[in-house]
Amino acid sequence: PPARGVVQLQDVEFTYPGADDPVLSDINLTARPGGMTAIVGSTGAGKTTLLSLIPRLFDVTGGRVLLDGLDIREYDPAQLWERIGLIPQKAFLFTGTVASNLRYGNPDATDEELWRALEIAQAKDFVAEMPEGLNAPVAQGGSNVSGGQRQRLAIARALVKQAPVYLFDDSFSALDVATDARLRRALRPISAHATVIVVAQRVSTIVDADQIIVLENGRVVGTGTHDELLAGCATYVEIVQS
Ligand code: TTP
Ligand code: MG
């Protein structure tokens, strides 16, 4: 059957290798295509850890993660990775060119597809301004582009994969407010058919979400829309007011 991108976490528990205590416990959530799920919580709450369990950067130590109804441990790892566009909290670039970075997850992507992804990621203008364009060199560690540009190229790279699931780990808070807003608007056609999970800090990113999950000390302390959580989740109120 075709990939749809329904992500489910069922009674998930996770303890880092060698650690004594779980950093995630009793996590239950479902994220569906056609909507955006936002994950919020203070630093150390477990947001990055939660996302890392979906492409199996780590395996759950309790419960299970399902993609389209199938335990992710049943997938061939490459096949699972193909279906998940992960934009890590610390974006990284490979030494090479803009194009080689963008094609990392999809070697067959055409130049047109690369430009389209750059456009959505709000990276088209600065790449177009480089004399070599798509063939512009990326130095070791991406040191010849700014942090915000690195972030947007990493977003574009994930979009080139055309995955049914996208995981954005705090990808927007490093961008200026205007770029952040343009980027989220440009992502709408994608979230219309894909499953998008974003770890977010800015209220403007969160309010639009179809579903917000509030994490505190590795547990879900609230699930709902912005209005629902404002009315019923003290941790959420604290987060949006800080
Ligand atoms: P994170 O999942 O990194 O917490 P976070 O993403 O919510 O925090 P931030 O907003 O700062 O990005 O960490 C959860 C807990 O797991 C925290 O106590 C640190 C611990 N941890 C490890 O022990 N090993 C690791 O590799 C990571 C990433 C976290
Ligand atoms: Mg994090």
Side-chain angles (χ1 to χ4, degrees), residues 92-178:
F92 55 86
L93 296 175
F94 304 100
T95 310
T97 63
V98 168
S100 68
N101 268 280
L102 295 181
R103 286 204 174 93
Y104 180 74
N106 180 0
D108 300 327
T110 64
D111 281 6
E112 201 186 338
E113 286 169 329
L114 302 190
W115 283 116
R116 177 76 196 119
L118 288 168
E119 189 174 1
I120 295 169
Q122 307 302 307
K124 187 180 169 183
D125 289 352
F126 75 78
V127 173
E129 277 165 22
M130 294 169 160
E132 303 95 332
L134 287 175
N135 295 318
V138 171
Q140 257 184 72
S143 56
N144 61 331
V145 297
S146 76
Q149 289 173 337
R150 189 150 61 224
Q151 193 71 29
R152 285 177 275 164
L153 289 174
I155 292 170
R157 172 166 60 210
L159 296 174
V160 168
K161 277 172 94 169
Q162 302 193 22
V165 178
Y166 290 101
L167 310 174
F168 292 92
D169 192 352
D170 218 352
S171 309
F172 309 117
S173 46
L175 305 174
D176 65 77
V177 174

Side-chain angles (χ1 to χ4, degrees), residues 47-49 89 169-170 199:
K47 306 178 296 294
T48 294
T49 304
Q89 192 166 9
D169 192 352
D170 218 352
V199 169

